């Protein structure tokens, strides 16, 4: 639970004007043409993006997930550095009589990371999850608003809930989740 929390929203949010510009660039229209209102403060900010609560012009409340600016550039630099280091480390590992191709591992890791930051892929994964588990009474899967989803923008149904760290959750629930 503690490690998952670090991934959730431990980073400071990036400025709204930057986030809203990315949203409009992704939509190709002013936000006012799609959203009746967007809350001014993000509800979460993490390493890849941040989330706002908004309301479509049709009245539905939605979660608007927008990717951090320069996210791809930062990841590309990190992958480049890892790739460079992997050659040296592979040589050191060979001295220990181990044959591990770290460069291949880094390449595969890079592919997975780029899939992770593609919000269209995330939407497809959510849709697949809904197909597999959406009929369960124990699982609530948010609806994806496909017409507004882009590579750096994900719009889905807003679902009220409690954080896993909330004191409102019964201790036995937290124990089962850990």
């Amino acid at each position: 639970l503690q490690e998952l929390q670090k991934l959730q929203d431990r980073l400071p949010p990036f400025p709204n004007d930057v986030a809203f510009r990315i949203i409009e660039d992704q939509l190709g229209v002013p936000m006012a043409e799609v959203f009746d209102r967007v809350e001014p403060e993000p509800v979460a900010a993490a390493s890849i993006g941040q989330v706002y609560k908004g309301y479509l012009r049709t009245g539905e409340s939605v979660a608007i997930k927008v990717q951090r600016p320069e996210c791809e550039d930062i990841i590309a630099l990190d992958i480049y550095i890892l790739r460079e280091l992997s050659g040296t480390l592979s040589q050191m590992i060979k001295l220990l009589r181990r044959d591990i191709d770290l460069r291949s591992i880094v390449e595969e890791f890079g592919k997975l990371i780029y899939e992770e930051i593609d919000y269209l892929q995330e939407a497809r994964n959510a849709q697949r999850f809904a197909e597999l588990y959406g009929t369960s009474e124990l699982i609530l899967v948010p609806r994806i608003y496909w017409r507004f989803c882009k590579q750096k923008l994900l719009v889905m149904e807003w679902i009220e809930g409690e954080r896993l760290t909330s004191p409102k959750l019964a201790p036995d629930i937290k124990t089962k989740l850990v």
Side-chain angles (χ1 to χ4, degrees):
L1 178 59
Q2 290 171 344
E3 292 305 311
L4 286 173
Q5 280 179 279
K6 291 177 187 175
L7 297 174
Q8 280 185 339
D9 57 354
R10 293 292 185 189
L11 292 178
F14 56 94
N16 285 346
D17 62 324
V18 174
F20 295 165
R21 187 171 43 249
I22 292 169
I23 292 170
E24 288 185 340
D25 287 348
Q26 290 291 294
L27 291 171
V29 296
M31 285 175 53
E33 289 186 25
V34 175
F35 304 105
D36 186 45
R37 186 173 95 236
V38 175
E39 298 293 334
E41 293 302 316
V43 294
S47 58
I48 295 174
Q50 63 191 31
V51 178
Y52 293 87
K53 183 175 185 180
Y55 302 87
L56 294 176
R57 294 190 58 79
T58 53
E60 298 99 326
S61 57
V62 293
I64 305 163
K65 184 175 180 182
V66 59
Q67 191 176 100
R68 278 190 178 275
E70 302 171 6
C71 182
E72 288 181 67
D73 296 338
I74 293 166
I75 289 172
L77 179 59
D78 289 346
I79 297 294
Y80 173 78
I81 291 168
L82 284 172
R83 198 178 294 131
E84 292 300 311
L85 289 173
S86 68
T88 304
L89 290 174
S90 288
Q91 294 301 319
M92 293 172 68
I93 290 171
K94 282 183 182 176
L95 293 174
L96 299 172
R97 294 195 171 109
R98 301 277 188 231
D99 191 22
I100 299 172
D101 184 2
L102 289 178
R103 184 158 281 179
S104 293
I105 294 169
V106 169
E107 293 295 328
E108 189 61 29
F109 176 72
K111 288 178 195 173
L112 293 173
I113 286 292
Y114 278 104
E115 285 179 16
E116 179 70 22
I117 65 171
D118 180 351
Y119 287 173
L120 286 171
Q121 182 62 41
E122 185 172 334
R124 286 188 288 274
N125 290 341
Q127 188 70 43
R128 179 72 177 133
F129 186 85
E131 291 166 5
L132 292 171
Y133 304 104
T135 58
S136 170
E137 294 178 16
L138 301 173
I139 299 173
L140 183 58
V141 182
R143 173 182 170 207
I144 303 295
Y145 290 88
W146 284 100
R147 67 185 180 276
F148 306 125
C149 293
K150 308 293 179 194
Q151 187 176 7
K152 297 179 182 186
L153 179 67
L154 179 61
V155 179
M156 66 179 94
E157 176 185 8
W158 180 267
I159 296 179
E160 292 293 336
E162 294 294 332
R163 292 184 180 271
L164 294 176
T165 56
S166 172
K168 295 179 185 177
L169 290 180
D172 63 319
I173 292 175
K174 290 181 188 180
T175 305
K176 290 177 185 175
L177 293 172
V178 176

